Amino acid sequence: MSWDAYVTNLTANGALEFAAIIGLDGNIWASNFGVAVLPSYQTEVPDEKNPDITAKVAYDEKAAFVHALTHKGETGNAAGVRINNQKYYTIQFDGEAKSWYLKKNKGGACIAWSNTAAVFASFSQTINAENGAPQNASDCNKRVLDMAKYLAESGY
């Protein structure tokens, strides 16, 4: 099975917004983002002292992702967690369980990892799955955790 099939499996029935299998080195193995690599770009970050003022900063999603996985969800930069150019906030990072739960405006994401790869998926409460119910954290978390467990058991 190709890595794309794993992403298709994660997003089946419209249950998830975006999904990816990402090597622990930050290289995308497969995704439905429409990009082959986690990008670098300029993004706006609020000033710490005055949140009404923003500044443009360089952001490297790949470097921040790799850093965050090895530093309890901390990206080491002012722009925070960004994946697919979407801003996330850490809800819970559990290094022992190899899971990371994230929140974004009207949605969220889950990341779980094995020895060689991370499984990422996001949901949006503004998008309905094929069953008519809004995408949700429960479906996202279950699919991501199950996929990461499967990959780990398969030697990845």
Side-chain angles (χ1 to χ4, degrees):
M1 180 162 48
S2 78
W3 290 113
D4 290 330
Y6 289 94
V7 171
T8 300
N9 181 282
L10 285 166
T11 59
N13 303 319
L16 302 173
E17 179 183 29
F18 295 110
I21 308 295
I22 305 169
L24 296 185
D25 60 0
N27 289 316
I28 294 177
W29 296 3
S31 80
N32 68 346
F33 301 168
V35 299
V37 297
L38 291 172
S40 296
Y41 47 85
Q42 294 285 315
T43 190
E44 291 191 2
V45 176
D47 183 84
E48 290 181 20
K49 295 179 183 172
N50 186 350
D52 294 330
I53 299 173
T54 60
K56 286 228 180 226
V57 298
Y59 191 83
D60 182 339
E61 283 191 12
K62 181 178 177 179
F65 180 80
V66 171
H67 186 271
L69 282 179
T70 58
H71 291 86
K72 300 179 182 178
E74 297 296 325
T75 59
N77 62 60
V81 180
R82 292 180 168 277
I83 300 172
N84 195 27
N85 202 12
Q86 293 188 21
K87 170 79 173 176
Y88 293 92
Y89 303 92
T90 296
I91 300 298
Q92 180 183 2
F93 184 95
D94 186 337
E96 280 190 39
K98 297 184 176 182
S99 60
W100 188 9
Y101 303 95
L102 303 160
K103 177 78 176 126
K104 68 176 183 170
N105 188 25
K106 297 183 182 176
C110 180
I111 300 171
W113 58 97
S114 62
N115 292 328
T116 59
V119 179
F120 164 85
S122 66
F123 67 94
S124 173
Q125 296 166 329
T126 63
I127 299 173
N128 287 343
E130 288 179 8
N131 66 5
Q135 294 178 349
N136 62 74
S138 178
D139 288 342
C140 182
N141 297 346
K142 179 167 179 19
R143 287 175 184 234
V144 168
L145 295 170
D146 288 349
M147 180 69 69
K149 180 180 177 186
Y150 173 79
L151 291 177
E153 290 171 351
S154 299
Y156 289 100

